[in-house]
Amino acid sequence: MCHRAFLLSQTTRRLAADAASSGRHRHFNLIMTKLGQNTKQSCYRHLTTQSKKGAETAAAETTPEPPTARQLVSHAIKCAIPMIGFGFMDNTIMIHAGHYIDCTLGVKFSLSTLAAAGIGQIFSGIGGVMFGDTLEAVFREASGGTVHKHKLSTAQKLMRSSRIAGVVGGIIGVSVGCTLGLVNLFFVDEQKANMLKLQALEDGQEFEFEVEIDNAINPGLTTVFVRGPDVDGVLASITAQIASYGCSIVKLDAGFRGGDSVADTSLQNLLSQTPATVLEDKFIIRDRATGRAVDNDDLDDLARVILAAAKDPLNTHSLKGQIESLEIENMALAERVLMLQNHLEDQQIKIIKDGDDKGKE
C-alpha cells in the first residue's frame, strides 16, 4: 500500500511537471480520465496541497522584513545630510542677499527690512536647490560610505517606520543647517542699512524742501509751512529744532500739499491711483518768552534752522550723537589705560640716588 502510494505520488508529480512545462493540458486531462476515481481524487488533493505551499512560499518571499534600528538610523542620517546643506545655503544666501537688497533697493525705494528679506529668500531658495546636491556629495565622500552601508530595499522604504525616520532626519538636518547659517550674522553690519536709510536722501532730494514763514495769517502767532518729500524723521527733527529755538507749538497739521490731511489724501490717492509724494507740514508757533509771534527780524534765522532740520532728520542726528559719544568714551578709556600703565611702570621702577637713604625710592 505504501509502495503504491509512493508510485502514485511520483506519477502525479511527473504528470504535473510535464503538463506545466510543455503546456499540454489536453494530454494531462486524457491521462487523468484513464485513471480510477480514487486515483484522480488523490492526484487532485496532492496538486492542491503543492499549489498552496507554493503560494505561501511566494508570499513569504515577497513580504519584506522590517528594517532594523541601525538601518533606520542610517536612513535618517541619509535624509538629513542634504537638508543640512540646504538649510545652511538657504540662511547664508538669504542673510547676505537680504542685507544687500536692504542697503540698495531698500534705500532707493524705501523698502522695509522684511520686504528685503522676502526678496532675498527667493535667491536663497534657488541657491539651496542648486548647492544641496553638491553638499550631499561632499558629505557622502567625507563619510567614506558608512552612511549608505545599511541600505533599505524598495519595499522597506515604503514602510511606515522608514518614512517616519526619513521625516525626522530631514527635520533635524534642516534645523542644524539653518542654525549653522546664522553664523553669517557675525559678518553683516546690521546698522548699515538703517544708517543709509536715515542719512542718505535721494539725489537732489535735499533741495526739494521748502520753508515758508508767515506772521500775517494768524495774528499774534507765527505760521510755518514745510514742504518736501516724505522722509522718516523729518517731522520729529523740525519739532525738536522749533523747541530748541525757544518756541512753543500751538498747532500742528501734517498732510499733503494742497491742505488735505494725510488720511483723507491717502484714501483719495488710493481711489484715483495718483498718489502724492510732496508733504506739507503746518506749524503754528509762538515765542515762549513773549507769548506772541516770533519777531520779524528773527524769521529768516528761524527758517534756516528749520530747513537745516529738514535736511538732517532727527534720527540721523541722534545716531551721529551716539557715535560721537562712543568715540569720546573710547578716548577717555584710552587715556585711563595709559595712566594705569604709567602708574604700573612707576611701581616697577626703583631708583636710589647717591647720598639718599638706602631703600628710598
Side-chain angles (χ1 to χ4, degrees), residues 24 44 82 119 180 237 273 311:
R24 298 174 182 176
Y44 282 126
I119 299 174
L180 294 175
S237 180
Q273 299 297 323
K311 294 180 179 180

Side-chain angles (χ1 to χ4, degrees), residues 258-326:
D260 297 323
S261 65
V262 175
D264 295 339
T265 307
S266 298
L267 179 59
Q268 178 182 353
N269 293 329
L270 182 62
L271 296 176
S272 63
Q273 299 297 323
T274 56
T277 57
V278 178
L279 295 178
E280 181 179 77
D281 300 326
K282 179 182 177 181
F283 300 85
I284 300 179
I285 63 176
R286 63 185 175 189
D287 193 339
R288 282 200 299 265
T290 62
R292 299 183 59 82
V294 179
D295 190 85
N296 292 330
D297 296 334
D298 297 330
L299 294 182
D300 183 72
D301 185 37
L302 177 61
R304 294 183 183 277
V305 170
I306 294 176
L307 182 60
K311 294 180 179 180
D312 186 17
L314 180 61
N315 293 334
T316 302
H317 183 71
S318 176
L319 289 175
K320 290 179 180 178
Q322 293 179 7
I323 294 175
E324 293 177 357
S325 177
L326 291 175

